[in-house]
């Protein structure tokens, strides 16, 4: 499926609205999301059955030309097969939108493609297994790409194919005015159910007028941001952004709700392992747990959105670290706190918000010792344990909070860079730059994490150090 490429000066973003559907509309939403799940599961079983049949025939010495025809898993192949069998597999198919079935087929094509790429080594990361079937009580979702998709002129409804006008919980005035002015085009709509509430996310191509960020002399043009656990983020200006820790705050209620849900009669019998009818109390207990998780996710997302929007609007250059979060969470003592803080969200949000507001995002090298380096004299400590929360420099006598010192070092990485070379002065469009890491003092002891040094990397470090010294001398 070809990805949509917006024209020059346009960006693709989403407008997400909470819905207030009627009982009949809720039934229609569940019918379409259930159709997407049914198409996904049926075609997955079909592809798996063909795969197993071909393997069995090959084990008996059947020639390749005589094997059962292979079921392709590209979206056109899956759609062609589904259209041939839907009349007897799903005789109720006419009650749902064709886009609902296409959602399940597109998700299956992507899942099987990822499995094949992981199996052949083309996809990085952990080895992916064979896709699993979607559960009936799992996340409900359906995507609409064709048909009547628009926001109502009254600013209180959205119009979706086969579902009609659905009232929104909040006003759609901002998007409706953009569409009316011709600066926005709705591409698709995705409806999802989260903790008993329905949401509609409209994918929109927007023409944005990017301007330079507003900054004050006190705040400065460059800010370094160090993420943590005790504080959500620490800025080089000295500001400490508090961490709401929503999961930690909800653990007591969440534990009680999960214990209550474990005592209810669920859809599976633990004694026999067979399916059974789930009780209404089990369903209500599961909804309570889901609502608590939804509140935790909403608080966390709101905190990060407020911070990243403010950084992109007020500062010209934002410097963050390239954190290996997947490796950090392997520490079982810090895993829960790290997941609760979600430090990788900072870089992900700033990656597109800096482009919106005309600022520049720098990503420091993963091995740059920002916490071990003194922000005053640039001396690098050989060791710095996590228990030491105050940085004390034995060379210049600087005593500073560990995180503030790291944020200042991040901001100092790009103070010698000409900002006009990083961004387009005419359009104000932001740039994504990974600065060169200066060679740490003391060699390998300056790194925060030990890593073997390759001879080519050593040459690159010396070249970067010479370049930085020349720039500092000229400045």
């Amino acid at each position: 499926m070809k990805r949509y490429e917006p024209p020059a000066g346009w960006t693709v973003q989403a407008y997400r609205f909470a819905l207030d559907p009627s009982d009949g509309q809720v039934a229609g939403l569940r019918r379409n999301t259930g159709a997407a799940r049914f198409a996904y599961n049926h075609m997955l079983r079909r592809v798996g059955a063909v795969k197993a049949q071909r393997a069995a025939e090959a084990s008996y010495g059947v020639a390749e030309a005589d094997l059962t025809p292979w079921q392709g898993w590209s979206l056109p192949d899956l759609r062609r097969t589904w259209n041939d069998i839907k009349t007897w597999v799903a005789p109720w198919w006419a009650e749902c939108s064709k886009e609902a079935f296409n959602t399940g087929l597109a998700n299956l094509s992507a899942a099987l493609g990822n499995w094949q790429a992981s199996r052949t080594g083309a996809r990085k990361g952990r080895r992916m297994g064979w896709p699993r079937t979607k559960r009936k009580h799992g996340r409900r979702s359906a995507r609409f790409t064709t048909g009547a998709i628009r926001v109502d002129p009254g600013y209180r409804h959205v119009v979706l194919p086969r579902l009609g006008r659905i009232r929104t919980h909040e006003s759609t005035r901002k998007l409706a005015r953009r569409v009316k002015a011709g600066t926005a085009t709705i591409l698709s709509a995705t409806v999802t159910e989260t903790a008993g509430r329905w949401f509609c996310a409209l994918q929109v191509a927007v023409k944005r007028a990017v301007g330079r960020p507003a900054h004050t002399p006190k705040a400065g043009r460059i800010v370094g941001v160090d993420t943590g656990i005790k504080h959500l983020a620490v800025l080089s200006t000295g500001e400490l952004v508090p961490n709401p820790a929503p999961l930690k705050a909800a653990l007591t209620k969440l534990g009680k709700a999960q214990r209550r849900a474990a005592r209810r009669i669920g859809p599976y019998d633990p004694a026999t392992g067979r399916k059974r009818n789930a009780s209404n109390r089990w369903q209500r207990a599961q909804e309570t747990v889901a609502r608590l998780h939804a509140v935790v996710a909403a608080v966390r997302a709101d905190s990060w959105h407020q911070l990243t929007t403010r950084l992109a609007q007020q500062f010209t250059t934002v410097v963050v670290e390239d954190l290996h979060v997947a490796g950090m969470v392997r520490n079982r003592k810090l895993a829960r706190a790290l997941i609760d803080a979600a430090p990788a969200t900072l870089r992900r949000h700033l990656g597109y918000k800096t482009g919106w507001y005309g600022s520049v995002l720098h990503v420091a090298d993963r091995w740059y010792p920002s916490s071990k380096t003194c922000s005053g004299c640039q001396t690098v400590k050989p060791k710095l344990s996590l228990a030491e929360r105050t940085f004390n420099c034995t060379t210049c006598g600087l005593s500073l909070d560990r995180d503030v010192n790291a944020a200042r070092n991040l901001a100092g990485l790009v103070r010698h860079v000409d900002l006009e070379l990083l961004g387009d002065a005419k359009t104000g469009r932001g740039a994504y730059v990974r600065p060169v890491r200066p060679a740490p003092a003391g060699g390998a002891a300056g790194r925060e994490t030990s890593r073997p040094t390759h001879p080519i990397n050593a040459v690159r470090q010396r070249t970067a150090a010479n370049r930085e010294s020349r720039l500092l001398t000229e400045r």
Side-chain angles (χ1 to χ4, degrees):
M1 196 172 183
K2 189 176 180 180
R3 184 177 180 181
Y4 173 78
E5 293 294 339
W10 291 63
T11 59
V12 177
Q13 67 181 80
Y15 286 81
R16 190 167 182 258
F17 302 103
L19 302 179
D20 289 332
S22 62
D23 294 340
Q25 291 172 339
V26 169
L29 290 168
R30 291 182 175 177
R31 187 183 307 115
N32 282 269
T33 55
R37 178 183 61 86
F38 180 86
Y40 180 97
N41 290 342
H42 182 82
M43 293 305 299
L44 176 60
R45 295 189 184 100
R46 185 182 182 90
V47 173
V50 172
K51 179 173 174 290
Q53 179 67 22
R54 288 173 60 90
E57 293 173 352
S59 65
Y60 285 104
V62 179
E64 178 69 23
D66 298 331
L67 294 178
T68 301
W70 181 254
Q71 171 61 57
W73 57 56
S74 65
L75 182 57
D77 291 339
L78 293 175
R79 189 184 298 163
R80 191 178 304 110
T81 304
W82 173 257
N83 289 333
D84 293 338
I85 66 175
K86 65 182 180 181
T87 53
W88 57 273
V89 170
W92 40 265
W93 66 270
E95 301 176 8
C96 305
S97 172
K98 63 181 181 64
E99 294 292 331
F101 301 105
N102 188 75
T103 299
L105 300 179
N107 293 340
L108 177 60
S109 177
L112 291 172
N114 292 336
W115 169 78
Q116 178 67 14
S118 176
R119 183 166 169 264
T120 57
R123 179 187 174 92
K124 297 181 180 180
R126 292 184 177 181
R127 188 76 174 267
M128 293 186 61
W130 184 257
R132 300 178 181 178
T133 57
K134 294 184 179 293
R135 298 184 298 111
K136 181 178 181 180
H137 299 284
R139 182 173 178 267
R140 297 185 176 96
S141 177
R143 185 168 182 256
F144 302 91
T145 57
T146 60
I149 305 174
R150 63 179 184 272
V151 289
D152 196 77
Y155 306 145
R156 298 299 299 186
H157 295 82
V158 294
V159 179
L160 300 176
R162 299 297 297 270
L163 297 173
R165 296 170 70 252
I166 303 178
R167 183 174 176 82
T168 58
H169 190 74
E170 52 213 329
S171 175
T172 61
R173 180 183 292 106
K174 186 175 182 179
L175 175 58
R177 287 181 175 178
R178 281 184 175 271
V179 173
K180 185 177 181 181
T183 58
T185 302
I186 299 177
L187 305 177
S188 64
T190 303
V191 292
T192 56
E193 185 186 20
T194 302
R197 296 203 63 183
W198 288 92
F199 297 87
C200 177
L202 299 174
Q203 187 183 32
V204 184
V206 179
K207 183 179 181 181
R208 304 186 66 91
V210 181
R212 304 302 292 178
H215 62 276
T216 61
K218 181 180 294 186
R221 297 169 61 88
I222 302 174
V223 62
V225 186
D226 182 78
T227 57
I229 296 176
K230 182 178 180 181
H231 297 96
L232 193 66
V234 177
L235 309 186
S236 58
T237 58
E239 179 184 354
L240 306 178
V241 182
N243 182 11
L247 179 61
K248 182 179 179 180
L251 279 180
T252 301
K253 291 184 179 180
L254 191 58
K256 292 181 180 180
Q258 288 177 332
R259 287 193 296 271
R260 186 181 299 111
R263 292 192 293 265
R264 306 305 183 198
I265 298 178
Y268 295 96
D269 188 354
T272 62
R274 297 180 180 179
K275 292 184 179 181
R276 62 185 180 188
N277 295 329
S279 65
N280 293 332
R281 289 187 176 184
W282 178 88
Q283 185 64 37
R284 289 196 297 268
Q286 295 295 327
E287 293 174 355
T288 301
V289 174
R291 281 195 298 269
L292 290 173
H293 279 294
V295 171
V296 169
V299 173
R300 183 186 299 119
D302 181 69
S303 302
W304 277 118
H305 274 296
Q306 289 193 28
L307 174 61
T308 53
T309 300
R310 179 163 60 89
L311 293 175
Q313 289 179 341
Q314 294 181 357
F315 296 94
T316 305
T317 306
V318 184
V319 188
V320 299
E321 290 182 297
D322 181 18
L323 299 176
H324 182 39
V325 181
M328 295 167 63
V329 297
R330 293 174 186 170
N331 185 339
R332 62 184 181 86
K333 296 182 179 180
L334 299 177
R336 176 184 290 176
L338 282 170
I339 294 175
D340 195 10
T345 310
L346 174 70
R347 177 178 171 181
R348 178 166 55 87
H349 284 186
L350 288 176
Y352 65 88
K353 289 186 180 181
T354 50
W356 286 2
Y357 301 109
S359 52
V360 179
L361 173 64
H362 285 261
V363 181
D365 190 89
R366 178 174 295 179
W367 308 102
Y368 173 64
S370 59
S371 297
K372 296 180 179 180
T373 305
C374 176
S375 58
C377 63
Q378 299 301 310
T379 302
V380 180
K381 283 190 172 185
K383 291 183 179 181
L384 184 67
S385 64
L386 289 176
E388 299 180 49
R389 304 315 304 170
T390 302
F391 182 88
N392 297 310
C393 182
T394 58
T395 303
C396 65
L398 176 67
S399 181
L400 190 64
D401 181 86
R402 173 198 181 111
D403 297 332
V404 176
N405 177 72
R408 290 184 180 181
N409 286 325
L410 292 175
L413 279 177
V414 295
R415 292 192 184 279
H416 61 275
V417 180
D418 188 1
L419 295 177
E420 297 300 330
L421 297 178
L422 299 178
D424 190 345
K426 295 182 180 180
T427 61
R429 186 179 297 274
Y432 181 88
V433 181
R434 181 186 294 272
V436 178
R437 174 175 63 89
R447 299 191 182 92
E448 294 192 16
T449 306
S450 60
R451 182 178 65 169
T453 303
H454 193 275
I456 296 181
N457 292 335
V459 174
R460 291 174 179 173
Q461 291 174 9
R462 290 195 296 270
T463 304
N466 295 335
R467 186 187 303 112
E468 184 190 25
S469 300
R470 185 174 62 257
L471 290 173
L472 292 175
T473 303
E474 294 174 357
R475 186 182 63 175

